[in-house]
Amino acid sequence: MATTNVAVFVSGSGSNCENIIRYFADSEKVNVSLVVSNRDEAYALVRARNLGVPTAVLPKAALNDEETLMGVLREHKIHFVVLAGFLLMVPSFLIKAFPRRIINLHPALLPKFGGKGMWGHHVHEAVKAAGEKETGMTVHYVSEVCDEGEIIAQFSTPLAPDDTPDDIAAKEHVLEMEFFPKVIETVINGL
């Protein structure tokens, strides 16, 4: 059986990225072949290099340049893209080149708390402000509309009335660590 080469796109610290790399470290079916970041100071790049995964820094202009981005992905023979804390919109040409082969993690139960400006701590603050009794994570296919791609899986966790946005973030992050790699594996196995 052929190995699926995965590129993980990140913008920040990369705890999910590291978790994904470690989860698939011994897999014969999935290989995290590349970590791409739009920010050269993203700690995710350090995590990836420490685990022996090649990295590429592509600022926004390079990410939106079809020849540049597709060239990097071809060089690493990428078959599948995972967004794990990636804060830019994916260009249309990439979505067309990887139909139903780009997935994103969103730190809330979409369709609630999604869309422009809803990333990271902004999401958890909005969940708190709305008085939600639960939060969770959503894994979805990437579409040309922010956070509106077809939902693949959702996992939830209860919230207490006195949970702060930091508490909400911590509870949601536990779900990411447990479930995101498993969902990636399921989607890739279904290709």
Side-chain angles (χ1 to χ4, degrees):
M1 179 174 289
T3 300
T4 299
N5 291 329
V6 174
V8 180
F9 283 38
V10 296
S11 294
S13 75
S15 58
N16 269 301
C17 178
E18 180 175 343
N19 190 40
I20 293 164
I21 293 168
R22 290 184 183 283
Y23 184 86
F24 292 112
D26 297 323
S27 174
E28 294 179 8
K29 295 172 114 183
V30 179
N31 179 43
V32 179
S33 304
L34 179 66
V35 171
V36 175
S37 182
N38 59 304
R39 299 174 57 236
D40 60 2
E41 71 275 9
Y43 190 69
L45 298 168
V46 174
R47 292 177 191 259
R49 289 183 202 120
N50 287 344
L51 294 169
V53 176
T55 62
V57 177
L58 299 173
K60 188 175 184 177
L63 283 162
N64 287 314
D65 181 76
E66 186 169 0
E67 190 175 313
T68 301
L69 178 55
M70 295 307 291
V72 169
L73 297 180
R74 275 192 299 274
E75 178 185 339
H76 293 275
K77 298 177 175 56
I78 299 303
H79 307 114
F80 196 87
V81 176
V82 173
L83 309 184
F86 186 65
L87 301 181
L88 297 178
M89 286 295 293
V90 172
S92 297
F93 66 80
L94 188 64
I95 295 168
K96 287 180 178 74
F98 288 85
R100 294 181 66 86
R101 290 184 290 137
I102 306 175
I103 63 174
N104 181 50
L105 166 67
H106 185 76
L109 296 170
L110 291 174
K112 290 183 176 184
F113 311 108
K116 189 173 171 71
M118 284 289 108
W119 54 272
H121 216 64
H122 302 290
V123 173
H124 307 304
E125 289 168 350
V127 168
K128 174 65 177 176
E132 294 291 312
K133 294 187 177 3
E134 68 175 0
T135 193
M137 62 170 273
T138 302
V139 181
H140 64 92
Y141 289 107
V142 172
S143 71
E144 294 187 31
V145 181
C146 184
D147 295 330
E148 290 193 16
E150 177 188 342
I151 292 173
I152 299 165
Q154 292 185 308
F155 303 92
S156 63
T157 187
L159 298 176
D162 60 345
D163 280 343
T164 66
D166 286 340
D167 296 331
I168 294 168
K171 287 180 175 185
E172 187 274 331
H173 193 66
V174 168
L175 296 175
E176 294 177 4
M177 292 293 107
E178 180 176 352
F179 295 110
F180 194 28
K182 294 174 185 174
V183 174
I184 294 166
E185 185 173 43
T186 299
V187 172
I188 289 174
N189 285 339
L191 291 177

